[in-house]
Amino acid sequence: MEHDHPAPTGSSTVDFLALVLRLALLLSTAFLAGGGLLRPPGQRPPRTLYVLGGVSALLAVVSAFAVDINVVALAIHVVLAVAVPVFPRVTRWTSAALLVLVVLETSLGGTGVEFAIDTVFVAAAAVWFGFALLGPVTTAAVRPGPLALTLGGLLVLAGAVRFGLSGLGFDRRLATTLFGLAVVAVAVLPVVVTVLAGVFKGRAYRFGAVAVAAAFVAWSALGAIPAPPPLPVPGVPLLADDAGFPVLVSPQRPGHNLVHFPPGAGDDLSAGVRGGLVTKAVARPGAEGTWADVELPPGRSDLEIRRGDTTTVVEVDAGRAPGPSILDADAPECAAAALGGLVAGRADVLTACPADALTPEDSGALVKLVEFLATRKPSAITLVEDDSPRGVAAAKLVRETAARTGLAVRPDAGPDTALVVVSGWSAGYTAMTRAAELQRLEPTHQYGLYLAPWLLNGPIVNSVASASLPLRFDPREATAVGYAVAVGDRFGGESPTLGGFRNWLGGGGAAGDVQIFAAAQVNAMPMYPTEPHATGMVMDRDYAGQWVPDGTIVPITSVLR
């Protein structure tokens, strides 16, 4: 990833200095703890331990001014750092306690395997530092040469496990990201140290101290360096945050692609492949946010995202295989459906879109909707369809069910008709805005405006005062609200969609009994923020978890049998 704009908070000068201070503190403390653990009993502490104790205590105090730290932990650290050289009789105990503090600091809340390998790595490095400071002394219990090989092996083992837990694998992020370089250091440097131990035996401690120290610094820095995002996978829509706001690229195949931005990203946005045509992002009928049409070449390329004078580069990989055939009118719904799977953490190759087929769940809901309308006896159903496979199948089903129940179907509106829309988002939005205008001018569709389930989308339902839909789930229940919150948090406040909800659930879970729900823009008690109101009254309708922005959706029938 490449950025042409200043880095956001998290990479500022203050943050960088705080990181350097933390690494210096941990390294000096590890040397101090190792030297204290290995100091021969009965001997006066060498000057080096006094210096390290003072440096460790001083850096701990300075840290209190650079970052927000626990005062109790700070005091314990300072006391232990001073006690290691000043109180020789308890040096080993204070050194062991200090080493525990280093382990806790480097683990940064890690549990299980991560905490275990942190303990192994830090302890092995501290013992190596102790021998490097004091010099290896051969005793009956300690043979420096074999011990050096053992310590090197422990470091290699911990580094290998850390490499496996990094999630990078053997890909280019190892060489192109700071996180990857740190992972390489903790995996490769211990191997170098082990080779030195095999060649130089007891003398390897001094020769390998620099390599162990560098590996220790890299290990400690991993907790503070953000992990790089996963590599783009051809055919899997890409969800990236490099621009400082979410960006969705779909379907990430050679040829025509849509680049989607949430409403909060602003209006002055454009996108295009570096060196190629840059297209302004514009609104799409029936869809939220803005959308830019981009032609991706085969293979990897750099996608430029421009907002005003700021340019951000996002790496994409369209691969070589052709993508699915997606009608332009259905592309936003297809992208929104794929977003649900991405929010759930899945990386599914996009092979089909919701408009490619009428699902059994939706066909059953439409049958029950027409049967419900037959009991209300409008003069006719005004049907709006499109030429997508789903739209054609849905229109045929509506006509067949209407004929079976004695309802007429006609294309024109009337005062006592019911409007039924089974098209995609674009045509559905147009039909609803047209119906709203007709109703404003004269009595039209007095038996209601009805949408197919997949048209439950904020811009469509909010284009009229009220619309009804046959749904197999309650958008107010915990699972549906959970998805609405998840997609809003992950994609800049984006509203939920039925296709995205189904993908988020993994293809199932939204197939209960059918009820008719009414979606409406409701503000029953309009008040200005400065007006007095009841205690606890929520004045902001833009809260998380809504399926209808600035509105509500409630059931208006019991379960349709």
Side-chain angles (χ1 to χ4, degrees), residues 186 225 234 260 264 360:
V186 301
I225 303 173
H260 177 36

Side-chain angles (χ1 to χ4, degrees), residues 491-543:
F491 203 75
E494 185 96 339
S495 296
T497 64
L498 180 59
F501 185 37
R502 286 172 171 167
N503 281 343
W504 184 71
L505 292 171
D513 295 322
V514 178
Q515 283 182 276
I516 304 294
F517 283 77
Q521 300 177 63
V522 176
N523 191 0
M525 297 172 60
M527 301 171 69
Y528 288 103
T530 55
E531 292 186 73
H533 55 277
T535 303
M537 180 181 292
V538 178
M539 301 306 297
D540 182 10
R541 294 181 294 163
D542 189 22
Y543 53 85

Side-chain angles (χ1 to χ4, degrees), residues 424-445:
W425 285 8
S426 179
Y429 178 80
T430 301
M432 295 303 277
T433 54
R434 192 171 295 164
E437 181 64 18
L438 288 174
Q439 288 183 329
R440 188 182 67 84
L441 298 174
E442 59 184 2
T444 310
H445 299 312

Side-chain angles (χ1 to χ4, degrees), residues 34 93 97 160 169 174 220 228 270 337 344 413 415 452-453 539-540:
W93 293 104
L174 291 175
S220 304
S270 57
M539 301 306 297
D540 182 10

Side-chain angles (χ1 to χ4, degrees), residues 307-330:
R307 181 165 66 171
D309 296 331
T310 302
T311 299
T312 304
V313 176
V314 176
E315 182 184 356
V316 295
D317 189 349
R320 304 272 173 193
S325 178
I326 304 174
L327 294 176
D328 186 61
D330 298 320

Side-chain angles (χ1 to χ4, degrees), residues 253-526:
R253 285 294 191 187
H256 181 252
N257 284 254
L258 279 185
V259 180
H260 177 36
F261 306 102
D267 297 325
D268 188 17
L269 287 161
S270 57
V273 176
R274 174 176 284 179
L277 181 66
V278 176
T279 306
K280 181 175 175 55
V282 297
R284 288 275 194 129
E288 285 193 323
T290 56
W291 307 76
D293 296 277
V294 174
E295 292 289 324
L296 290 184
R300 296 203 303 262
S301 58
D302 290 331
L303 179 69
E304 290 189 346
I305 308 296
R306 298 181 184 177
R307 181 165 66 171
D309 296 331
T310 302
T311 299
T312 304
V313 176
V314 176
E315 182 184 356
V316 295
D317 189 349
R320 304 272 173 193
S325 178
I326 304 174
L327 294 176
D328 186 61
D330 298 320
E333 182 189 2
C334 191
L339 178 61
L342 296 174
V343 170
R346 291 190 299 275
D348 300 326
V349 174
L350 182 60
T351 57
C353 294
D356 290 346
L358 180 64
T359 65
E361 293 81 9
D362 289 342
S363 63
L366 290 176
V367 168
K368 293 186 181 299
L369 170 62
V370 177
E371 292 174 344
F372 166 76
L373 288 175
T375 64
R376 301 194 64 202
K377 301 187 183 302
S379 64
I381 289 177
T382 300
L383 183 61
V384 176
E385 56 187 297
D386 63 10
D387 57 359
S388 69
R390 180 185 59 190
V392 171
K396 179 182 178 182
L397 181 65
V398 168
R399 289 189 176 92
E400 290 175 349
T401 308
R404 177 170 54 81
T405 56
L407 274 177
V409 177
R410 66 188 193 197
D412 55 315
D416 53 356
T417 58
L419 177 66
V420 176
V421 183
V422 296
S423 65
W425 285 8
S426 179
Y429 178 80
T430 301
M432 295 303 277
T433 54
R434 192 171 295 164
E437 181 64 18
L438 288 174
Q439 288 183 329
R440 188 182 67 84
L441 298 174
E442 59 184 2
T444 310
H445 299 312
Q446 294 186 74
Y447 280 83
L449 309 176
Y450 296 88
L451 295 167
W454 57 85
L455 295 175
L456 177 55
N457 191 26
I460 299 174
V461 297
N462 279 344
S463 62
V464 293
S466 178
S468 300
L469 308 94
L471 300 178
R472 293 184 179 273
F473 72 102
D474 189 338
R476 305 167 302 166
E477 291 181 347
T479 303
V481 171
Y483 168 64
V485 172
V487 73
D489 289 345
R490 187 64 184 86
F491 203 75
E494 185 96 339
S495 296
T497 64
L498 180 59
F501 185 37
R502 286 172 171 167
N503 281 343
W504 184 71
L505 292 171
D513 295 322
V514 178
Q515 283 182 276
I516 304 294
F517 283 77
Q521 300 177 63
V522 176
N523 191 0
M525 297 172 60

Side-chain angles (χ1 to χ4, degrees), residues 105-134:
E105 178 65 19
T106 53
S107 65
L108 291 177
T111 58
V113 175
E114 291 183 351
F115 185 80
I117 62 171
D118 280 330
T119 303
V120 170
F121 191 93
V122 172
V127 173
W128 192 284
F129 294 152
F131 278 122
L133 287 173
L134 304 177

